[in-house]
């Protein structure tokens, strides 16, 4: 008697990458039904399926998640890069009206088609590396219309490409030229931009740039309190260039993540624990700014704060459309283990986006899967541009 078909796909003879998995991890099977992982176990106990694939000992990982990007922007900042190479600092360039403000001008002046085309190229590069979920921030529009446009374009990318997109409103990124007073602009965000983004369902979270060249903790708090009142989770660019105690503020608002955190003090790390806030490490920005202050990795480990790793892909501090390179940078520059780097772009990155059923090879999670022709999971972080996934499924559908 033939068994009833109970799964859409069964992948057999796969090694499942999980923290601590050894090169000789047992060969297992994994079943997919209705876009979800429906079963994991021994090969001879696998359910029958419409389609079976023999992985021949290759490694399965969850689809990668880039939980912090500014993927949509006009122009580039190669000229500022040249100035920085002559010794002018990122902050000085920002104070002279360059930096984020120059990308704001270029983004506002770009057509929707041009922004979709340039962001689409960067997105495709990430997808080719195995990225299945990408967070995209606004923050280069800085008017009601332009911020909403950026978020709409981000949603559009999610329809145009085989990838899940999460959007984050980052109106509190820099002071736009229309305003001379930061508090007045915060009023505008709280009263106009945030409610409009919520009305149109355009934002999945709200972010701020808590920094001298950005906004003060008190100003960020106003954005957080308005976001929470509207039911949106918050996160923050905090302690990137100085220690303003932004991470503590994010934790007070039960924030999803604190991002950058090079200047976070070890004694402030424990404050992240009760809220389950994720530490998002952005080694590409650290690298590109030639930063020397390291994030408090030992304290994060000691307090078991989940560490995510993301690209921060943006024209000013991280012109890098490669999450695999960010994994390598997290290991080399921040001392993460390859296991920590992999958890950082899967399970912990999911948490940084508030997602609970993606990022792990476990029953009930999305069947966003990658197959790698590698000898051990450490190979994913080990090199630069040496490996890419050989097969890729999004919600159980091979891409
Ligand atoms: O994550 N720090 C603020 N935002 C970006 C940089 C944006 C820019 O310079 O255009 C970052 O590093
Ligand atoms: Fe950023």
């Amino acid at each position: 008697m033939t068994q009833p078909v109970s799964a859409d796909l069964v992948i057999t003879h796969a090694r499942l990458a999980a923290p601590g998995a050894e090169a000789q991890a047992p060969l297992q099977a994994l079943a997919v039904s209705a876009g979800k992982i429906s079963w994991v176990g021994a090969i001879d106990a696998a359910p029958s399926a419409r389609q079976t694939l023999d992985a021949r000992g290759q490694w399965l990982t969850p689809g990668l998640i880039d939980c912090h990007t500014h993927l949509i922007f006009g122009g580039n900042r190669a000229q500022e890069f040249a100035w920085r190479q002559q010794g002018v600092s990122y902050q000085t360039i920002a104070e002279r009206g360059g930096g984020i403000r120059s990308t704001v001008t270029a983004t506002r002046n770009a057509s929707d088609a041009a922004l979709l085309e340039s962001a689409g190229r960067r997105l495709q590069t990430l997808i080719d590396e195995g990225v299945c979920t990408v967070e995209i921030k606004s923050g280069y529009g800085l008017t009601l219309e332009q911020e909403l446009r950026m978020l709409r374009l981000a949603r559009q990318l999610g329809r145009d490409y085989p990838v899940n997109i999460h959007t984050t409103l980052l109106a509190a990124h820099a002071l736009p030229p229309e305003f001379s007073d930061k508090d007045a602009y915060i009023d505008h965000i709280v009263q106009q931009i945030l409610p409009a983004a919520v009305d149109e369902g355009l934002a999945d979270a709200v972010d701020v740039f808590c920094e001298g060249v950005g906004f003060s903790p008190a100003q960020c708090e106003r954005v957080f309190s308005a976001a929470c009142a509207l039911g949106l989770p918050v996160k923050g660019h905090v302690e990137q260039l100085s220690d303003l105690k932004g991470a503590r503020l994010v934790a007070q608002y039960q924030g999803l993540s604190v991002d950058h955190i090079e200047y976070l003090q070890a004694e402030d790390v424990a404050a992240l624990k009760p809220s389950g806030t994720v530490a998002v490490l952005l080694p590409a920005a650290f690298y590109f700014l030639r930063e020397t202050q390291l994030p408090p990795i030992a304290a994060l480990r000691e307090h078991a704060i989940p560490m995510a790793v993301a690209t921060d892909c943006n024209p000013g501090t991280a012109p890098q459309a490669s999450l695999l390179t960010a994994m390598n940078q997290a290991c080399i520059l921040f001392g993460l283990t390859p296991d920590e780097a992999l958890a950082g772009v899967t399970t912990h990155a999911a948490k940084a986006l508030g997602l609970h059923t993606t990022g792990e090879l476990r029953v009930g999670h999305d069947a966003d899967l990658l197959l790698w022709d590698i000898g051990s999971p450490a190979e994913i972080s080990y090199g630069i541009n040496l490996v890419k996934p050989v097969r890729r499924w999004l919600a159980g559908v091979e891409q």
Side-chain angles (χ1 to χ4, degrees):
M1 207 177 79
T2 50
Q3 265 187 295
V5 173
S6 59
D8 299 326
L9 167 69
V10 169
I11 303 173
T12 65
H13 301 88
R15 299 188 203 277
L16 271 46
E22 300 292 336
Q24 284 318 311
L27 295 173
Q28 289 187 277
L30 177 148
V32 173
S33 303
K36 300 279 182 191
I37 299 171
S38 53
W39 183 90
V40 179
I43 297 162
D44 54 11
S48 63
R50 243 178 290 282
Q51 193 198 346
T52 307
L53 173 79
D54 183 345
R56 292 175 288 108
Q58 294 182 337
W59 285 84
L60 262 184
T61 69
L64 307 186
I65 299 169
D66 193 349
C67 67
H68 180 141
T69 86
H70 309 248
L71 204 71
I72 300 176
F73 56 84
N76 66 58
R77 304 242 286 278
Q79 180 55 58
E80 293 180 13
F81 172 58
W83 291 332
R84 285 207 303 112
Q85 288 309 98
Q86 288 161 7
V88 188
S89 75
Y90 179 73
Q91 286 99 316
T92 305
I93 291 170
E95 280 154 18
R96 290 180 190 164
I100 294 172
R101 289 264 294 256
S102 72
T103 298
V104 169
T105 304
T107 304
R108 289 180 179 181
N109 290 338
S111 66
D112 288 0
L115 290 176
L116 286 172
E117 199 271 329
S118 62
R121 262 187 284 121
R122 295 184 277 272
L123 186 57
Q124 188 61 53
T125 309
L126 292 173
I127 290 170
D128 292 343
E129 288 192 333
V131 175
C132 291
T133 300
V134 180
E135 183 258 17
I136 301 179
K137 301 177 195 298
S138 66
Y140 292 127
L142 309 186
T143 64
L144 172 66
E145 257 327 300
Q146 292 281 348
E147 284 291 295
L148 298 189
R149 176 170 86 119
M150 286 195 70
L151 295 174
R152 281 188 211 111
L153 292 175
R155 292 266 194 245
Q156 184 64 43
L157 288 170
R159 290 187 287 270
D160 293 348
Y161 289 80
V163 69
N164 306 307
I165 299 290
H166 275 255
T167 56
T168 301
L169 177 69
L170 177 57
H173 196 197
L175 187 66
E178 291 79 8
F179 285 81
S180 53
D181 178 49
K182 287 186 180 178
D183 288 307
Y185 179 52
I186 295 288
D187 287 342
H188 181 59
I189 292 173
V190 165
Q191 290 160 15
Q192 308 289 329
I193 303 182
L194 238 173
V198 170
D199 262 5
E200 243 190 90
L202 287 174
D204 299 320
V206 173
D207 197 348
V208 298
F209 186 19
C210 185
E211 194 57 67
V213 291
F215 296 91
S216 71
Q219 289 161 341
C220 294
E221 177 157 19
R222 295 192 51 216
V223 176
F224 287 168
S225 115
C228 287
L230 292 167
L232 281 182
V234 302
K235 48 179 58 217
H237 285 72
V238 296
E239 277 76 271
Q240 180 184 12
L241 308 168
S242 62
D243 178 21
L244 298 186
K245 307 291 177 203
R248 281 183 172 274
L249 179 66
V250 171
Q252 264 172 37
Y253 281 83
Q254 312 294 313
L256 291 174
S257 66
V258 289
D259 301 43
H260 288 286
I261 59 166
E262 281 88 339
Y263 288 81
L264 175 63
Q265 299 298 306
E267 62 264 26
D268 291 324
V269 166
L272 302 173
K273 192 72 188 170
S275 48
T277 303
V278 175
V280 177
L281 305 175
L282 302 168
F286 176 93
Y287 162 82
F288 193 74
L289 294 180
R290 302 184 67 167
E291 181 56 70
T292 52
Q293 174 74 38
L294 284 163
I297 302 294
L300 292 166
R301 282 189 185 125
E302 191 188 315
H303 293 279
I305 304 299
M307 294 184 282
V309 174
T311 61
D312 196 18
C313 180
N314 77 70
T317 66
Q320 173 175 312
S322 173
L323 188 57
L324 297 180
T325 305
M327 292 171 74
N328 177 271
Q329 291 165 324
C331 293
I332 299 296
L333 301 173
F334 294 169
L336 264 60
T337 66
D339 271 351
E340 286 175 324
L342 185 57
V345 297
T346 53
T347 171
H348 296 162
K351 200 159 187 273
L353 297 180
L355 302 173
H356 301 293
T357 57
T358 198
E360 287 178 46
L361 297 179
R362 67 155 77 183
V363 171
H365 274 226
D366 296 338
D368 294 349
L369 304 170
L370 306 172
L371 194 63
W372 304 78
D373 186 10
I374 52 179
S376 77
E379 255 185 78
I380 300 173
S381 295
Y382 149 74
I384 294 181
N385 211 9
L386 289 181
V387 298
K388 292 227 176 358
V390 290
R391 299 179 81 148
R392 170 176 180 271
W393 293 262
L394 194 69
V397 178
E398 186 156 14
Q399 304 296 316

